[in-house]
Amino acid sequence: MRQLPFKAERLTASFYDRSTATVAGELIGKALLHHVDGCWVGGWIVETEAYLDTRDPASHSARGQTPSNAAMFAAPGTLYVYPIHAKHCLNAVTEKAGRGAAVLIRAIEPVWGIDFMQLERGYSDLRRLTRGPAMLCQSLKIDREDDKRCLVTDPSLGIFADPNSDPRRVLSTKRIGISKAVHRNLRFIDPDSTSTSRPLGR
DNA sequence: TAAACGATCTGCT
DNA sequence: GCAGATCGTTTAT
């Protein structure tokens, strides 16, 4: 384990092995960190979405396991990175292996390695770094090569809790950008953050 | 092998 | 705020 930028406790497999909506809500305020090119890059998670098992029509697992979504069916705490619209989005697998459930991380507040993110993204404006799932992936330099990495044991990648940080408010809204099962409130945001992709959804 | 479809982003207005 | 770009994956011929 590399030296972290602050005193932190890594989330363990038992954190991810719970109801996906619960995990999605509790990920708000946790730190997503990736060690690249000799430094930690990441920030506080402020927006997530729950994608449930194969019965959730909006989930990539809805049509069963395929070569490209296999990571979704792996152990809880596995990283699932999928390509979309010529970009990438990242998820943390939840529940028991084989369920096909995961939490999409949609936005973080950029905190560590901001200059690295600015280089990767080609923008200096903090608001254009991590305010959306594909932007966030590019800032953290995570792509399809990182699919199936383990957030629980990988020394260079993980999600961490800061025991000294103040708890955040969490609001749930409808999920964004999907056409099926749109009515369900499975998107979770920190309403006090300015780094969410769309403050109140829609 | 062709065609359609996204859990999106950017640039321009 | 909106139209257009973009490309891997899936589904249909």
Side-chain angles (χ1 to χ4, degrees):
Chain A
M1 186 60 206
R2 302 170 195 282
Q3 179 86 40
L4 286 168
F6 67 105
K7 182 162 169 39
E9 295 166 2
R10 180 189 283 259
L11 303 184
T12 62
S14 59
F15 178 91
Y16 300 101
D17 183 12
R18 294 180 298 157
S19 127
T20 303
T22 301
V23 175
E26 290 192 16
L27 279 175
I28 300 297
K30 301 296 190 292
L32 173 63
L33 286 167
H34 186 202
H35 191 88
V36 268
D37 293 353
C39 68
W40 284 102
V41 181
W44 304 115
I45 297 170
V46 291
E47 178 176 356
T48 63
E49 280 179 5
Y51 285 89
L52 312 183
D53 58 30
T54 54
R55 291 168 311 196
D56 176 2
S59 174
H60 285 176
S61 62
R63 289 191 206 86
Q65 185 170 343
T66 67
S68 79
N69 71 6
M72 258 192 116
F73 293 84
T78 301
L79 185 72
Y80 167 47
V81 181
Y82 67 89
I84 185 153
H85 287 95
K87 301 175 177 69
H88 299 282
C89 298
L90 72 92
N91 299 251
V93 175
T94 57
E95 307 190 23
K96 295 272 184 289
R99 296 291 298 276
V103 173
L104 167 68
I105 298 178
R106 288 191 56 90
I108 68 175
E109 288 176 358
V111 180
W112 301 280
I114 287 175
D115 47 351
F116 178 91
M117 298 188 200
Q118 290 169 326
L119 277 175
E120 288 296 314
R121 292 271 304 134
Y123 293 100
S124 56
D125 185 347
L126 294 188
R127 291 170 306 180
R128 302 198 87 156
L129 295 183
T130 56
R131 197 189 240 205
M135 295 186 202
L136 153 64
C137 262
Q138 193 184 356
S139 277
L140 295 196
K141 205 168 187 174
I142 285 172
D143 60 25
R144 204 89 219 276
E145 301 292 304
D146 300 303
D147 188 44
K148 295 184 178 171
R149 283 175 72 175
C150 180
L151 293 166
V152 175
T153 60
D154 193 307
S156 301
L157 179 68
I159 302 178
F160 303 84
D162 177 357
N164 298 315
S165 69
D166 294 329
R168 294 180 181 239
R169 290 203 293 149
V170 178
L171 233 60
S172 68
T173 74
K174 294 174 177 23
R175 294 181 289 188
I176 286 176
I178 57 172
S179 56
K180 300 163 192 161
V182 289
H183 58 286
R184 311 186 66 170
N185 280 348
L186 290 171
R187 170 175 176 256
F188 299 85
I189 61 169
D190 170 357
D192 302 312
S193 173
T194 56
S195 298
T196 51
S197 65
R198 276 176 257 186
L200 292 175
R202 176 62 56 85

